[in-house]
Amino acid sequence: MIRVLVWNEFKHEREKENVAAIYPDGIHATIAEFLGKEDDIEVRTATLQDENCGITKEILDETDVLIWWGHMAHNKVPDEVASLVRDAVLEGMGAIFLHSAHHSKPFKLLMGTSCNLTWRESSDSEILWVIDPAHPITRDIDRYFCLEGEETYGEPFVIPNPDKVLLIGSYSGGEVFRSGCLYERGNGKIFYFQPGHETFPTFKVPAVQSVIRNAVRFVAPTYRQVIACPHVRKITDDEPYVIVKK
Ligand code: ZN
């Protein structure tokens, strides 16, 4: 089983009627619902309102993939929590950062850049173009999928060059954006996925759910271990594993 923790700051849904109308139980609940239908995925949720944001080392030790949505309260997440997330990713935990989580503390820590971008809330629609149709994350999409409405994100997106760009978003307003970006940091895999503005039912769109489902399986750890920095002896012929030299 892949143990997923869906983290949401859960503020817009409680404070704005138009958002509550789309996600009455929160964005995290919608994501947990569709992921929870998978036989190989086990889902828990946590929010900013939980003690310590619902994130401790023990909880992360029992998490294979952390999904993060945040927007208006990034600064309410303690630095210590962001560091715990970073350390867990370096060990091998998978992480998926959705939409405005580009400015979340853990994502910025892992990227090391401002993660700034250009943006506009308008009536733009978006086409997400698949760059690598063979990749496990995007292989269920044909050439592209469309979102009737989504917040416009545009370049420059101030991130390190991704290991792989899987999706390019193009908006009816003209902008383009690197909408699906893969990274490795330490032993951990990270996927940034742009769709998911709170005033649109984006997380109910089958293609979006498919990408997130596939991303969970792709970033799930295959190896989880702290990469330490030990002082070691020189290998000598006495070492049993030097046998390969004979
Ligand atoms: Zn947004």
Side-chain angles (χ1 to χ4, degrees):
M1 292 293 271
I2 303 171
R3 300 164 299 176
V4 174
L5 179 63
V6 183
W7 191 93
N8 179 19
E9 69 179 24
F10 197 26
K11 282 182 76 72
H12 292 284
E13 303 96 317
R14 294 183 303 125
E15 295 173 11
K16 293 184 178 174
E17 274 181 27
N18 59 330
V19 181
I22 302 169
Y23 299 112
D25 300 318
I27 283 172
H28 56 297
T30 296
I31 295 171
E33 189 189 347
F34 73 76
L35 286 178
K37 291 178 181 160
E38 302 300 303
D39 291 341
D40 58 339
I41 294 174
E42 192 177 277
V43 195
R44 288 172 303 156
T45 61
T47 72
L48 186 62
Q49 285 71 44
D50 294 333
E51 190 184 344
N52 208 46
C53 305
I55 302 275
T56 62
K57 184 176 184 320
E58 292 68 32
I59 287 169
L60 294 181
D61 281 347
E62 294 172 355
T63 299
D64 296 315
V65 178
L66 176 66
I67 297 177
W68 194 281
W69 195 102
H71 178 228
M72 64 195 289
H74 293 315
N75 63 352
K76 299 279 190 253
V77 175
D79 291 344
E80 296 73 26
V81 167
S83 297
L84 284 176
V85 171
R86 176 203 52 204
D87 293 347
V89 170
L90 295 179
E91 268 182 45
M93 183 184 75
I96 299 172
F97 292 92
L98 299 170
H99 187 59
S100 39
H102 71 91
H103 259 169
S104 65
K105 284 186 182 179
F107 187 68
K108 287 167 72 173
L109 256 188
L110 286 159
M111 294 298 111
T113 57
S114 70
C115 302
N116 288 339
L117 45 76
T118 63
W119 61 279
R120 174 176 67 249
E121 284 191 67
S122 66
S123 55
D124 280 0
S125 58
E126 181 183 9
I127 305 174
L128 287 108
W129 296 93
V130 173
I131 307 301
D132 182 357
H135 196 278
I137 293 181
T138 45
R139 67 182 165 204
D140 295 335
I141 312 294
D142 188 10
R143 289 175 58 217
Y144 61 87
F145 65 93
C146 302
L147 297 172
E148 279 181 30
E150 185 49 70
E151 182 179 15
T152 299
Y153 275 9
E155 300 284 344
F157 184 17
V158 188
I159 45 173
N161 280 333
D163 298 337
K164 201 149 202 180
V165 177
L166 296 181
L167 292 155
I168 296 275
S170 72
Y171 298 84
S172 52
E175 277 83 355
V176 294
F177 189 72
R178 287 169 287 175
S179 292
C181 300
L182 264 181
Y183 293 93
E184 286 185 8
R185 289 289 184 271
N187 293 328
K189 298 191 194 78
I190 300 164
F191 183 55
Y192 172 77
F193 189 38
Q194 159 267 315
H197 187 62
E198 68 277 2
T199 59
F200 299 105
T202 302
F203 293 115
K204 298 181 179 181
V205 174
V208 170
Q209 296 184 355
S210 164
V211 169
I212 294 173
R213 231 176 1 243
N214 288 343
V216 163
R217 294 185 177 118
F218 184 79
V219 304
T222 49
Y223 177 87
R224 188 160 178 169
Q225 185 77 45
V226 176
I227 300 179
C229 194
H231 176 254
V232 292
R233 289 179 295 114
K234 183 180 178 183
I235 293 173
T236 69
D237 287 343
D238 300 333
E239 301 281 344
Y241 47 79
V242 179
I243 198 160
V244 292
K245 278 186 173 177
K246 289 177 183 167

